[in-house]
């Protein structure tokens, strides 16, 4: 096998950690000796062995003199696990092949320097684009301390997220809705506004078999979430956060007693300060958020510069209606040239629908 094939295998292994490693990265590792794979591993879950140590623990023969392929630069600092560089040196690994550089300032090239100083040959940049793609969330979180936000909505070809009656079930088909639950498993939090709670009484859980429920976050400036809503009633078993500007302990008490966490945050123009909310989520190690808000929250998050990716589930149908809702509200921009530009777009056919994924290019918006 060629080195790219080994690294491609590492990428496939890393993906087995989807949804479970947060706020750590997804990493895969393969150990090769005399042209044969003798050990494979990945970061299975937060707090458990890193990929390199996992692979070493599963070797079928001594790794002394072997090559290690790993999607991310090995760590050299103590965190929830000891440094992987120590394990690599102790195992007698001869060469290390790396996909992505580690942006963590605690590592950032230091691990590779340690390995080289001890006589280990190091090669970097193998399938770098694929390896980097594994950890968009981690790279953003480690650099900014705030969650990577994916704004998701489903709409028709005429840009409607609901009929003029307000009914929205279902814009897309079963396959697209199944994909959304994969995203709820993959991303650590899910964010909506209180308007969505009042209109739909959603659960916001993950209904994928074997999936992990995201932390549910509601922007609720005045604490209007009904105490008998499904979110509140299930808060004892699914982590639920109400972000509010309400300072009245009596108003907060029923939610706290139900198991919700109530975060009192500063206001901006009479609403929850979304930048402060993102900072607080980062401090709580919520590294990623699926934004399933309504049009107003979508606009506010974009306007605050807090959205990194947009996922549009596009249904090949038309609803019409001058008053039927569209996905982005707010005042809007005054002219097309001032709109948010989206880049690196990818289109995925999903059943009868399409998913368009794009990254937000903030440097194009306004006078940047």
């Amino acid at each position: 096998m060629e080195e790219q094939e080994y690294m491609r295998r590492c990428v496939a292994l890393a993906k087995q950690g989807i949804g479970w490693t947060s706020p750590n990265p997804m990493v895969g590792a393969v150990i090769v000796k005399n042209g044969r794979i003798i050990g494979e591993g990945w970061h299975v879950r937060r707090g458990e062995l890193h990929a390199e140590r996992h692979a070493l623990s599963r070797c079928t023969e001594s790794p002394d003199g072997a090559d290690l392929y790993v999607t991310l630069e090995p760590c050299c600092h103590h965190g929830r696990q000891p440094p992987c560089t120590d394990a690599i040196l102790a195992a007698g690994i001869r060469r290390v092949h790396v996909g992505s550089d580690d942006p963590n300032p605690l590592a950032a090239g230091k691990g590779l320097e340690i390995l080289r100083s001890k006589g280990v040959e190091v090669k970097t940049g193998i399938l770098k684009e694929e390896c980097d793609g594994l950890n968009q969330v981690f790279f953003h979180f480690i650099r900014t301390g705030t969650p990577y936000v994916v704004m998701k909505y489903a709409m028709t070809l005429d840009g409607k997220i609901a009929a003029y009656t307000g009914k929205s079930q279902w814009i897309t088909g079963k396959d697209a809705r199944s994909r959304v639950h994969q995203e709820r498993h993959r991303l650590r939090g899910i964010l909506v506004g209180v308007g969505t709670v009042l209109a739909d009484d959603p659960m916001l859980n993950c209904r994928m078999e074997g999936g992990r429920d995201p932390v549910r976050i509601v922007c609720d400036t005045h604490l209007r979430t009904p105490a008998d809503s499904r979110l509140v009633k299930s808060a004892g078993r699914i982590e639920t956060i109400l972000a509010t500007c309400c300072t009245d302990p009596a108003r907060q008490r029923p939610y706290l007693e139900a198991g919700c966490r109530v975060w009192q945050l500063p206001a901006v123009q009479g609403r929850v300060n979304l930048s402060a909310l993102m900072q607080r989520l980062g401090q709580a190690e919520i590294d990623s958020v699926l934004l399933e808000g309504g049009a107003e929250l979508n606009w506010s998050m974009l306007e605050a510069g807090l959205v990194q990716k947009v996922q549009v589930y596009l249904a090949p149908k038309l609803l019409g209606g001058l008053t039927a809702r569209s996905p982005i509200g707010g005042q809007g921009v005054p002219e097309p040239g001032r709109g948010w530009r989206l880049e690196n777009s990818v289109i995925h056919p999903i059943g009868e629908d399409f998913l368009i994924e794009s990254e937000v290019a903030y440097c194009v918006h306004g006078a940047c």
Side-chain angles (χ1 to χ4, degrees), residues 145-147 243-245 263-268 271-284 301 304 306:
T146 59
T244 185
C245 300
W263 287 0
Q264 187 176 310
L265 295 167
V268 173
R271 296 182 177 181
V272 168
N273 184 324
L274 294 172
S275 294
L277 173 58
M278 292 301 112
Q279 291 288 339
R280 183 77 179 268
L281 290 170
Q283 292 165 9
M301 288 287 288
L306 300 173

Side-chain angles (χ1 to χ4, degrees), residues 152 232 293 347:
K152 164 262 166 185
V232 174
I347 302 175

Side-chain angles (χ1 to χ4, degrees), residues 156-336:
T156 61
L157 281 177
D158 56 344
K160 308 299 184 181
I161 62 172
Y164 76 91
T165 59
K167 293 184 178 179
S168 60
Q169 295 183 343
W170 295 105
I171 294 291
T172 54
K174 182 175 64 175
D175 292 340
R177 299 198 299 274
S178 177
R179 172 64 180 265
V180 170
H181 287 283
Q182 293 176 32
E183 289 298 285
R184 289 184 179 185
H185 166 74
R186 181 176 75 91
L187 301 174
R188 190 65 197 98
I190 184 168
L191 173 64
V192 299
V194 68
T196 297
V197 177
L198 292 171
D200 301 334
D201 191 21
M203 271 295 287
L204 303 180
N205 60 338
C206 174
R207 294 187 284 278
M208 181 184 88
E209 185 177 353
R212 179 189 193 187
D213 289 322
V215 177
R216 304 176 303 184
I217 308 142
V218 182
C219 271
D220 187 357
T221 302
H222 304 294
L223 277 184
R224 294 189 294 141
T225 297
D228 62 351
S229 65
R230 295 201 294 167
L231 286 177
V232 174
K233 289 195 292 187
S234 59
R237 57 185 178 83
I238 304 176
E239 189 172 356
T240 304
I241 298 168
L242 302 182
T244 185
C245 300
C246 177
T247 61
D248 183 354
R251 292 277 304 282
Q252 296 180 10
R253 188 174 301 114
Y255 303 107
L256 294 170
E257 290 176 350
C260 297
R261 298 163 68 185
V262 179
W263 287 0
Q264 187 176 310
L265 295 167
V268 173
Q269 298 179 340
R271 296 182 177 181
V272 168
N273 184 324
L274 294 172
S275 294
L277 173 58
M278 292 301 112
Q279 291 288 339
R280 183 77 179 268
L281 290 170
Q283 292 165 9
E285 295 192 319
I286 296 174
D287 64 353
S288 51
V289 167
L290 183 63
L291 172 59
E292 292 199 20
E296 293 304 308
L297 183 57
N298 287 347
W299 164 262
S300 297
M301 288 287 288
L302 276 171
E303 191 177 35
L306 300 173
V307 179
Q308 281 68 54
K309 179 174 280 191
V310 178
Q311 291 182 337
V312 181
Y313 291 85
L314 193 60
K317 61 180 67 169
L318 305 172
L319 297 184
L322 288 174
T323 60
R325 289 179 291 165
S326 61
I328 312 293
Q331 181 181 5
V333 299
E335 57 189 57

Side-chain angles (χ1 to χ4, degrees), residues 108-128:
K110 296 175 185 175
L112 302 184
E113 290 176 12
I114 290 171
L115 294 175
R116 288 187 177 111
S117 71
K118 299 296 184 180
V120 177
E121 184 181 336
V122 175
K123 185 173 182 180
T124 62
I126 303 166
L127 288 188
K128 178 175 171 57

Side-chain angles (χ1 to χ4, degrees), residues 31 33-34 36-39 55-56 58-64 66:
I31 298 170
K33 188 171 184 179
N34 299 324
R36 295 176 293 105
I37 293 177
I38 64 167
L56 287 167
R58 303 170 80 214
C59 279
T60 56
E61 61 183 84
S62 170
D64 186 49

Side-chain angles (χ1 to χ4, degrees), residues 92-105:
I93 296 293
R94 182 179 60 170
R95 284 190 293 260
V96 173
H97 310 257
V98 176
S100 296
D101 300 320
D102 192 339
N104 189 334

